[in-house]
Amino acid sequence: MNIGVDAAALGMSNAVTASTNNVNSGYWNPAGLLSIEDSEASLMHASYFANIAQYDYAAYAKKIDDRSAWGISLIRFGVDDILNTTQLIDSQGNIDYNRISLFSTADFGMTFSYARKSQLKEIQYGINAKVIRRIIGDFASSWGFGIDAGIKFERDSWKFGVMFRDITTTYNIWNIDEEKYNQIKDAVAGQNQEAPESTEITAPKAQLGIAKLFEFHYDYTLLAAVNLNMQFARTNDVFASEAVSIDPAVGFEFGYTDLVFLRAGVGNFQNVEQIDGSKKINFQPNIGLGFKYKGIQIDYALTDLGDQSAALYSNIFSVKVDLSIFR
């Protein structure tokens, strides 16, 4: 749930908390769903770790009336066809390749979003209810639930946004198959001797965003955006304390006649300890481009351009459709 969705946003290094204004707002800031004119759908696919892991996303959103909108989205990050070799050696100590089986491990996140305008027309807010499902073959599975909330404020060409993630703290409760666990308990001497924790906790986070749209000669636009991504604990973020850690991100989108878009951004600033004990600031530059025509928008992003961070780069594609064009 931390990777992000939509190649357009990823090309701007996720600095879209204040500017998001379409079906993908259900993830970035549900308050942005109010900018939808009718109904929209979105799809995204990305491959990670040399195509070992697959990351997929689908979303739908619809305007209810002039003051409210709703949306739903589904995220899956999974690794399929993993070799299970825990039964490779039979009871006589012989290797039997027929005892190898396959399993998958996957994380699912389903989000239900609702957005509404406040009595002050410049302020809008939204809320997410999240259901988390995690599966590791037949070995273990879990369910989790969480709440997000977002606010947007717009005046002239300035946009401000605040997104609170997991505000109630998201809990995942694991159910471990004891029979399967006992089969692998002694597969490697001294390992897996104690069952894993049955509760997984995701602490609250906050994102503050500001964006401004510049227009040049009617045909050209430039969207500049800044995000401050905060965690309430000490991390490797470039600004870190015991109370809060802050990872800034900056993104730009250059548009021509609302038809072609070029994007760039930099974020994920981390203090990384080197072999000699010194620390180096790593960051993640991203680029992207998009094309929009008659309500259909296709976007591409290349994350971690130049391999400046510890993260692996990925090619990401997404498509967004204004469903009103089919009416």
Side-chain angles (χ1 to χ4, degrees), residues 62-81:
K62 182 177 178 60
K63 196 162 190 175
I64 300 173
D65 52 38
D66 291 338
R67 300 187 60 84
S68 59
W70 71 275
I72 184 172
S73 64
L74 177 65
I75 292 174
R76 180 188 186 270
F77 190 101
V79 179
D80 299 306
D81 297 332

Side-chain angles (χ1 to χ4, degrees), residues 1-2 24 29 36 61 67 88 107 115 126 131 133 149 152 159 165 179 203 206 209 231 233 256 266 270 277 300 305:
M1 300 301 292
N2 290 323
N24 301 304
N29 185 344
I36 294 174
R67 300 187 60 84
L88 178 62
D107 293 350
V131 180
R133 175 66 167 165
K152 283 189 67 177
K159 306 174 188 293
R165 298 188 180 274
E179 180 181 352
Q231 300 185 59
Y256 173 68
V266 61
Q270 301 287 306
Y300 165 78
L305 173 70

